[in-house]
Amino acid sequence: MLREVTATGRHPAPEELDARRDLGERAAEAGYALPGLVGAHLAATRAALDGRTAPDPLMTAAEQAVDAFAEGYERARRQAVRQEEAARREFLDDLLLGRGDPGRLAGRAEAFGLRPAPAYAVAVARAATPFVDGSPGVRRVERVLEGAVLLAAKEGRLVCVVPAGTSGDVSGHVSGDVSGDGEELPARFARGVRAGSGPGGLVAAGRPHPGVGGVAASYEEALGALDLADRLGFEGPLVRAADLLVFPVLTRDRAALADLVLSVLGPLRAGRGGAGPLLETLTAYFDAGCVSAEAARRLGLSVRALTYRLERIHSLTAHDPGDPVHRYTLQTATLGARLLNWPAEPLP
């Protein structure tokens, strides 16, 4: 083409530039590096000049050819990236939802950077700003983790699949440590989320479960823990499903829980301002470990005012917050009210 351009002064034909684009795609698919290919084109141009000063048509043709070649190369590279992203997302969905054969999932896992392990756990992060793959926040989390974990954004949350059980431990905590610095992986993930998204981020960690097939169970636990943390007002930055096992027990029979809440706390509706202020008092009292001074500080009340409210609760419900047996019933009902969003939402 260059010889003809030199001889005639014509411009490259459209089909010649299309051929360069096709060749660029094939070069990308074959794994060649672009700088070396561009250098080869320029060397061919110099050979065509044979020591002469380059006429304008020749250099114009060379520039157009190189541009077309690079365009084809980049087009194929973008297509390869899209295909890889689609395959990665399909694998992640199969992994988190427990779809497909566990043996095939295990075979695909290592190709996506998840090293083999006896067990796996999943941690899920949410922040004020939704997570997006490749964003600066996600890259900061990747730098903090520095290990063979699978990290991906899903539905605005950031999901981290962690190899666990490296010490044969399949308990409520993740014992695997990628970097060897002794810091537990979920805690390091939470630190990375804080660094990448700022304050307000929350990480929920599911328990480790054996094999790649256990990823789906851990993911479901992590999502459940995240939902519970939001409903109960936990601030985090890290909550563990292993520490919240009592709550699924409470919510398993919603009708029984609603009956407990209404039977024990329903009389609080007769208090001044309704059930809300007295329920808030119980929540602060139990969250403070039943220490009146600390509960009063959290509520912005005097200890005397708090004591009056506790006495009012005892009078209305016939349950004394200071009595160990009554306290258990009141605390369980208070947790149930938070889980059911009562009294903001009416119960049947």
Side-chain angles (χ1 to χ4, degrees):
M1 182 188 71
L2 292 178
R3 281 194 299 271
E4 291 184 11
V5 166
T6 303
T8 66
R10 71 171 177 86
H11 292 292
E15 59 270 18
E16 290 174 323
L17 295 180
D18 285 339
R20 292 288 94 192
R21 293 185 181 95
D22 292 340
L23 186 60
E25 289 188 7
R26 295 204 302 274
E29 291 162 358
Y32 288 97
L34 186 59
L37 297 170
V38 170
H41 277 67
L42 295 177
T45 305
R46 285 193 296 272
L49 292 174
D50 193 22
R52 294 173 294 146
T53 302
D56 288 343
L58 177 61
M59 290 311 300
T60 300
E63 290 168 358
Q64 290 177 343
V66 170
D67 286 345
F69 184 89
E71 181 184 336
Y73 185 98
E74 290 300 317
R75 189 169 60 198
R77 192 179 66 85
R78 287 193 298 269
Q79 179 63 22
V81 169
R82 283 194 294 268
Q83 290 174 345
E84 183 179 350
E85 288 176 349
R88 186 171 183 268
R89 189 153 298 282
E90 179 186 7
F91 166 71
L92 184 70
D93 287 343
D94 290 345
L95 189 66
L96 296 178
L97 300 179
R99 298 189 305 219
D101 176 70
R104 282 196 63 222
L105 283 176
R108 295 162 64 193
E110 199 163 2
F112 289 98
L114 188 62
R115 63 176 172 81
Y120 295 90
V122 178
V124 180
R126 64 115 173 93
T129 302
F131 290 98
V132 178
D133 282 328
S135 65
V138 172
R139 290 199 299 271
R140 278 193 287 269
V141 176
E142 289 175 337
R143 286 196 295 270
V144 169
L145 291 178
E146 296 179 344
V149 301
L150 181 62
L151 193 69
K154 182 174 176 60
E155 298 173 350
R157 305 184 188 97
L158 189 59
V159 178
C160 180
V161 184
V162 177
T166 54
S167 304
D169 174 27
V170 191
S171 63
H173 296 282
V174 181
S175 59
D177 176 47
V178 172
S179 71
D181 62 6
E183 185 182 15
E184 204 178 15
L185 274 170
R188 192 154 68 251
F189 179 49
R191 176 163 60 85
V193 169
R194 287 200 305 275
S197 63
L202 179 66
V203 172
R207 293 177 296 169
H209 290 271
V212 173
V215 169
S218 186
Y219 177 59
E220 185 176 352
E221 288 182 351
L223 289 180
L226 199 61
D227 177 62
L228 278 172
D230 286 336
R231 289 157 65 186
L232 296 174
F234 295 161
E235 295 182 356
L238 174 65
V239 295
R240 303 178 186 274
D243 299 331
L244 304 177
L245 294 178
V246 66
F247 296 103
V249 174
L250 289 175
T251 56
R252 195 162 293 150
D253 190 339
R254 184 181 176 89
L257 183 61
D259 183 48
L260 173 68
V261 170
L262 290 178
S263 297
V264 175
L265 302 179
L268 296 181
R269 289 176 292 194
R272 183 182 300 174
L278 295 177
L279 183 59
E280 181 186 19
T281 300
L282 283 174
T283 298
Y285 182 67
F286 293 131
D287 286 350
C290 300
V291 177
S292 296
E294 174 60 19
R297 185 191 66 79
R298 296 186 182 191
L299 291 169
L301 300 173
S302 66
V303 174
R304 181 175 180 180
L306 177 79
T307 302
Y308 170 78
R309 286 193 183 186
L310 293 177
E311 290 173 351
R312 183 63 174 150
I313 290 168
H314 183 192
S315 172
L316 290 171
T317 66
H319 287 79
D320 181 4
D323 180 272
V325 176
H326 290 184
R327 183 188 304 153
Y328 176 79
T329 302
L330 278 171
Q331 187 166 11
T332 304
T334 299
L335 287 173
R338 293 166 72 180
L339 289 169
L340 299 176
N341 197 26
W342 182 87
E345 295 181 12
L347 299 177

